[in-house]
């Protein structure tokens, strides 16, 4: 086979072309300027390469960019326009614009092919009118792009349609799935707004199926009466152009004519306006989405229980949510523009615990925002967790101390009996066994308190319910304390006609005994201890008074917490593990009553309430079914004088 001679290269074709060929990249810089372009416009190739082409008049820049955008969407766009020569003379040209992509589909730029018009088909008046329309298009585009609110942009597009194209009325329809919805209109009845119709069978559907960007429909080629646009009397022509957002059809502009005839200029202007409308709508939609996401993110931040702050590169607060203000006590206006009112962790991934001025503990975590230098600070209230840690540590220390003494005594006396039984007389043996029994009882009651406290904490504490003689219970409990201390005087004020109580007598015995024990223990210098009982408003009230160290102001509720003593500054002065009043209040509330305490005038008063008993009646706690687990069935009814149960 005879080899064929190679054909001319693309460069040779461009160089030998009689048409001026100018190629620009995506930044509008000249990449190709053939000899015919030099002859037509007067600039040499070396003068223009790498720079924007100097041939487009200022008033036609918008038109040129619109044509290039249309070419980007596919196909070659041809227009008649004007260009500037190097000597300043305007020449009439026909411009064919195409968009270029390489073999991989990467965008390369545009190619413009120019042919000078010498046949008079583009008179100066036509170009002057075109320039006027282009300037007006610039104004319209600036107007519709001046707002980022979607509804406002749609309304501006509809208003600009009639003004620019000379249409008698118009509107913008939006694609919603397989239907169209009229979302804005001008010079039409307002009741048409919101009208929907199927996409299939519509002019818009026909336009999309054709692959074109504009469509002209007249009464000569179809019936217009069945369209919603028939609201315009005398309607004879409908022109519509596609508005695309991010390369996908979003809606269409409808220009309605009932008077003037429609030509290619109106169609071209409609096409340009539809293209620019797509850009403006894309911006509005992007802004709307940004606002939505920002609002969504702000709602998440505002509703977060964690304090959240955004710091700029200098470490100053830019955002300070509601939880941050509540946790720190610092309002937003006092913090924004300043460093946060707490230290930050040294390492971004390591949390830091810090005690605020108000006594609240927070855990602080910092995360950097990539690429901005900003940091997000998340901090949460860990006061309860911190207190729980301290409670655990305190419990381990105090429980160990409280257990050590009786265990050591029991162990010592038991060892003595084992090793020296034969050398001890009967009296010594009995004393040793008695001591072991007493200390074992102390251990048993200490363990019992721990078990009751655990049940109360977990909500599993339950007590019995029934009528019992509160007067007799108080007298028997008080009798066991009467000789407990020579420095104290125990007085009773319990009327003979006191009605029966409704509740659990064993649990009530524990409560009264604990209140009496605290009264004796926390008045180490002696004094009067008074137990008074009364009926008040259908309830029975028991008050235990002492003249001891008292309850510090502000601690009236704290003393009922776990592992808390009335005098927190010296735990070892009174001993105990701090569960006494915690258990007392839980037992009282389980019976439908309560326990409170306060000090006034040097006298501490602990007030215990119970329901008044009715034979066969039941307490509110029993009516509710209790807490679900048997109550302190092992609770001893005799007074616990030896156990350490701090207030």
């Amino acid at each position: 086979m005879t080899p064929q001679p190679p054909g001319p290269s693309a460069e040779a074709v461009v160089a030998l072309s009689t048409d001026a060929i100018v190629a620009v990249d995506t930044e509008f810089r000249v990449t190709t300027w053939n000899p015919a372009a030099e002859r037509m416009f007067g600039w040499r190739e070396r003068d223009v390469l790498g720079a924007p082409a100097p041939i487009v008049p200022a008033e036609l820049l918008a038109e040129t960019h619109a044509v290039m955008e249309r070419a980007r969407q596919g196909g070659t766009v041809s227009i008649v326009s004007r260009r500037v020569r190097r000597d300043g003379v305007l020449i009439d040209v026909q411009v064919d614009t195409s968009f270029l992509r390489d073999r991989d589909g990467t965008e390369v730029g545009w190619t413009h092919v120019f042919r000078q018009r010498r046949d008079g088909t583009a008179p100066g008046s036509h170009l002057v009118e075109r320039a006027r329309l282009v300037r007006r298009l610039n104004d319209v585009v600036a107007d519709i792009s001046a707002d980022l609110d979607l509804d406002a942009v749609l309304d501006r597009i509809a208003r600009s349609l009639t003004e620019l194209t000379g249409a008698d009325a118009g509107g913008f329809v939006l694609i919603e799935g397989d239907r169209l919805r009229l979302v804005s209109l001008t010079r039409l009845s307002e009741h048409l707004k919101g009208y929907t119709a199927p996409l299939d069978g519509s002019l818009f559907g026909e336009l999309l199926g054709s692959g074109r960007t504009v469509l002209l429909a007249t009464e000569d080629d179809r019936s217009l009466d069945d369209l919603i646009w028939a609201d315009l009397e005398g309607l004879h022509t409908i022109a519509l152009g596609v508005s695309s957002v991010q390369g996908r059809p979003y809606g269409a502009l409808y220009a309605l004519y009932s008077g003037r005839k429609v030509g290619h200029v109106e169609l071209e202007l409609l096409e340009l306006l539809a293209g620019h409308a797509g850009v403006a709508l894309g911006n509005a939609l992007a802004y709307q989405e940004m606002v939505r996401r920002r609002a969504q993110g702000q709602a998440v931040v505002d509703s977060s229980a964690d304090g959240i702050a955004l710091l700029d590169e200098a470490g100053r607060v830019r955002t300070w949510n509601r939880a941050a203000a509540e946790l720190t006590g610092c309002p937003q206006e006092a913090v924004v523009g300043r460093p946060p009112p707490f230290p930050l962790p040294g390492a971004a991934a390591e949390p830091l615990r810090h005690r605020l001025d108000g006594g609240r503990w927070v855990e602080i975590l910092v995360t950097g925002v990539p690429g901005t230098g900003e940091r997000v600070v998340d901090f949460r209230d860990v006061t309860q967790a911190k207190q729980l840690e301290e409670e655990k540590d305190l419990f381990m220390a105090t429980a160990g101390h409280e257990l050590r003494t009786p265990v050591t005594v029991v162990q010592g006396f038991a060892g003595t009996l084992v090793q020296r039984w034969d050398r001890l007389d009967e009296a010594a043996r009995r004393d040793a066994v008695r001591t072991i029994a007493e200390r074992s009882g102390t251990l048993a009651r200490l363990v019992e308190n721990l078990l009751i406290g655990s049940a109360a904490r977990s909500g599993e504490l339950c007590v019995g319910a029934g009528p019992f003689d509160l007067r007799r219970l108080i007298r028997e409990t008080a009798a066991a304390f009467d000789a407990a201390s020579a420095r104290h005087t125990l007085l009773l004020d319990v009327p003979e006609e006191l009605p029966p109580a409704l509740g659990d007598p064993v649990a009530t015995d524990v409560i009264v005994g604990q209140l009496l024990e605290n009264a004796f223990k926390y008045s180490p210098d002696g004094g009067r201890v008074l137990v008074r009982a009364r009926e008040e408003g259908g309830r029975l009230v028991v008050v235990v008074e002492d003249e001891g160290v008292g309850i510090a102001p502000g601690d009236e509720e704290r003393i009922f917490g776990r592992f808390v003593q009335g005098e927190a500054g010296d735990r070892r002065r009174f001993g105990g593990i701090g569960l006494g009043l915690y258990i007392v209040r839980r037992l009282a509330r389980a019976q439908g009553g309560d326990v409170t305490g306060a000090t006034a005038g040097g006298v501490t008063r602990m007030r215990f309430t119970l329901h008044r008993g009715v034979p066969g009646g039941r307490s509110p706690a029993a009516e509710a079914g209790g807490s679900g687990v048997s109550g302190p069935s092992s609770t001893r009814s005799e007074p616990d004088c030896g156990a350490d149960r701090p207030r």
Side-chain angles (χ1 to χ4, degrees):
M1 180 179 293
T2 304
Q4 298 296 321
S9 66
E11 290 82 0
V13 171
V14 171
L16 297 174
S17 174
T18 57
D19 295 330
I21 300 176
V22 178
V24 297
D25 61 18
T26 55
E27 300 296 326
F28 309 115
R29 296 171 299 207
V30 175
T31 58
T32 299
W33 186 272
N34 73 342
E38 292 185 358
R39 292 191 296 272
M40 181 177 291
F41 299 114
W43 282 279
R44 294 185 179 181
E45 182 182 36
R46 65 172 179 268
D47 299 329
V48 296
L49 282 181
I55 60 177
V56 182
E59 66 272 16
L60 297 180
L61 280 173
E63 177 192 63
T64 302
H65 289 160
V67 168
M68 294 169 72
E69 185 60 31
R70 287 167 54 197
R72 183 199 291 267
Q73 298 175 8
T76 299
V77 179
S78 299
I79 64 170
V80 175
S81 186
R82 275 190 164 188
R83 292 295 182 264
V84 180
R85 292 195 320 210
R86 188 168 189 174
D87 57 8
V89 175
L90 290 173
I91 58 175
D92 298 329
V93 293
Q94 178 178 324
V95 188
D96 299 330
T97 302
S98 302
F99 190 64
L100 300 178
R101 289 183 173 84
D102 62 17
R103 293 180 179 178
D104 297 331
T106 303
E107 296 183 349
V108 176
W110 291 266
T111 296
H112 305 283
V113 179
F114 298 92
R115 300 180 184 85
Q116 190 167 357
R117 302 295 295 259
R118 304 181 185 279
D119 54 5
T121 57
S125 60
H126 173 70
L127 292 176
V128 171
E129 176 63 14
R130 178 183 291 274
R132 185 193 69 78
L133 291 174
V134 168
R135 285 194 297 270
R136 182 61 195 138
L137 177 63
N138 287 338
D139 295 339
V140 168
V141 170
D143 180 60
I144 65 176
S145 301
D147 206 319
L148 290 175
D149 179 75
L150 183 60
D151 292 336
V153 170
L154 289 170
D155 288 340
R156 290 187 182 205
I157 291 172
R159 290 197 306 269
S160 302
L161 173 65
T162 54
E163 186 177 353
L164 185 66
T165 67
D168 298 288
F172 188 88
V173 299
L174 184 68
I175 300 177
E176 294 182 339
D178 59 353
R179 298 189 68 82
L180 301 175
R181 181 164 63 92
L182 181 60
V183 292
S184 64
L185 47 82
T186 181
R187 300 181 186 174
L188 290 171
S189 299
E190 193 66 25
H191 73 273
L192 294 177
K193 193 171 185 179
Y195 179 89
T196 64
L199 176 61
D200 290 341
S202 67
L203 292 176
F204 193 7
E206 180 183 339
L207 176 58
L208 293 178
S210 70
R212 293 175 293 169
T213 55
V214 290
L215 176 68
L216 189 68
T218 69
E219 59 183 357
D220 296 330
D221 56 23
R222 71 194 71 216
S223 172
L224 304 180
D225 296 337
D226 57 344
L227 300 175
I228 62 169
W229 312 114
D231 182 71
L232 179 65
E233 185 177 355
L235 174 67
H236 60 74
T237 302
I238 296 178
L240 61 152
V242 179
S243 289
S244 297
V245 176
Q246 296 180 348
R248 300 183 62 181
Y250 180 79
L253 271 173
Y254 280 68
L256 313 180
Y257 295 89
S258 61
R260 61 180 291 179
K261 295 295 182 181
V262 183
H264 72 279
V265 173
E266 287 78 13
L267 277 179
E268 186 175 339
L269 288 171
L270 176 64
E271 187 175 20
L272 291 174
L273 180 59
H276 285 291
V279 175
L281 289 170
N283 293 337
L285 288 170
Y287 177 75
Q288 188 180 58
E289 178 64 15
M290 180 190 70
V291 171
R292 186 191 67 81
R293 291 185 178 181
R294 181 177 295 176
Q296 186 180 51
Q298 189 63 44
V300 171
V301 170
D302 288 341
S303 63
S304 173
D306 287 3
I308 298 177
L310 177 65
L311 309 184
D312 61 18
E313 296 182 11
R316 295 183 295 263
V317 174
R318 291 182 55 191
T319 301
W320 189 255
N321 74 339
R322 182 170 54 251
E326 292 174 354
L327 286 173
T328 61
C330 301
Q332 181 178 1
E333 58 271 15
V335 178
V336 171
R338 301 179 181 179
F342 45 71
L344 300 178
E350 292 294 329
L352 170 70
R353 286 194 172 184
H354 174 72
R355 187 176 185 272
L356 300 174
D357 292 340
R360 178 176 284 172
W361 283 89
V362 292
E363 186 174 73
I364 308 164
L365 185 66
V366 176
T367 304
V369 179
T372 66
E374 298 173 318
R375 289 173 291 172
V376 175
V377 181
D378 184 293
F379 53 100
R380 63 188 58 184
D381 189 349
V382 293
T383 304
Q384 290 186 349
K386 185 73 174 177
Q387 290 174 346
L388 182 59
E389 289 179 5
E390 294 175 351
E391 286 181 358
K392 289 179 179 178
D393 294 341
L394 186 59
F395 168 73
M396 296 298 294
T398 55
H401 178 86
E402 295 299 321
L403 289 170
R404 182 184 297 115
T405 300
V407 167
T408 301
V409 172
V410 169
Q411 185 179 28
F413 276 90
T416 299
L417 289 176
V418 170
Q419 298 170 10
R420 302 178 59 191
W421 179 270
D422 295 335
R423 285 175 284 176
L424 295 174
D425 57 22
E426 185 67 19
R429 291 173 185 168
R430 288 183 177 278
D431 287 342
V433 172
R434 185 183 302 108
T435 301
I436 291 174
E438 291 175 354
R439 295 299 179 171
S440 297
T442 300
L443 282 174
R445 288 188 292 273
L446 180 59
V447 172
E448 183 180 352
N449 274 358
L450 291 175
L451 293 175
I452 295 175
S454 176
R457 176 66 175 176
S458 63
E460 297 177 346
L461 187 62
C462 180
V463 298
F468 65 92
D469 190 345
L470 179 62
R471 177 178 179 276
R472 178 181 176 183
L473 184 148
I474 292 174
R475 286 186 174 277
E476 290 178 353
T477 304
F481 281 88
D482 197 20
S485 171
R487 297 190 302 273
H488 294 84
T489 301
L490 180 59
L491 303 175
L492 293 182
D493 182 7
V494 183
E496 293 289 340
E497 66 278 5
L498 188 69
L502 185 64
D504 188 321
V506 177
T508 303
D509 178 62
V510 172
I511 294 171
V512 175
Q514 182 67 66
L515 295 180
L516 279 171
E517 183 180 335
N518 278 4
F520 276 74
K521 182 166 60 175
Y522 284 97
S523 53
D525 297 331
R528 186 192 68 158
V529 175
L530 171 64
V531 181
R532 183 172 61 249
R534 292 286 188 275
E535 180 185 4
E536 296 180 5
R539 284 179 174 260
L540 299 182
V541 179
V542 179
V543 176
V544 179
E545 297 181 356
D546 68 72
E547 300 172 336
V549 298
I551 302 171
D555 281 355
E556 289 83 1
E557 283 298 314
R558 190 184 70 86
I559 61 173
F560 292 100
R562 294 190 308 163
F563 314 125
V564 175
Q565 285 187 323
E567 193 172 271
D570 184 7
R571 294 188 61 85
R572 296 277 57 81
R573 179 182 178 188
F574 298 105
I577 57 175
L579 282 174
L581 290 183
Y582 175 77
I583 293 173
V584 160
R585 172 169 276 186
R586 292 302 179 101
L587 288 174
R589 289 182 174 178
Q591 299 179 81
D594 203 357
V595 176
T596 57
T599 297
V603 177
T604 298
R605 294 179 179 87
M606 304 300 296
R607 190 173 187 270
F608 165 46
T609 62
L610 270 176
H611 282 280
R612 184 179 187 275
V614 177
R618 292 176 62 81
S619 72
E623 294 292 343
S627 302
V629 174
S630 298
S633 59
S634 60
T635 303
R636 301 170 59 90
S637 59
E638 67 271 14
D640 186 4
C641 302
D644 292 321
R645 293 176 178 170
R647 177 179 292 139

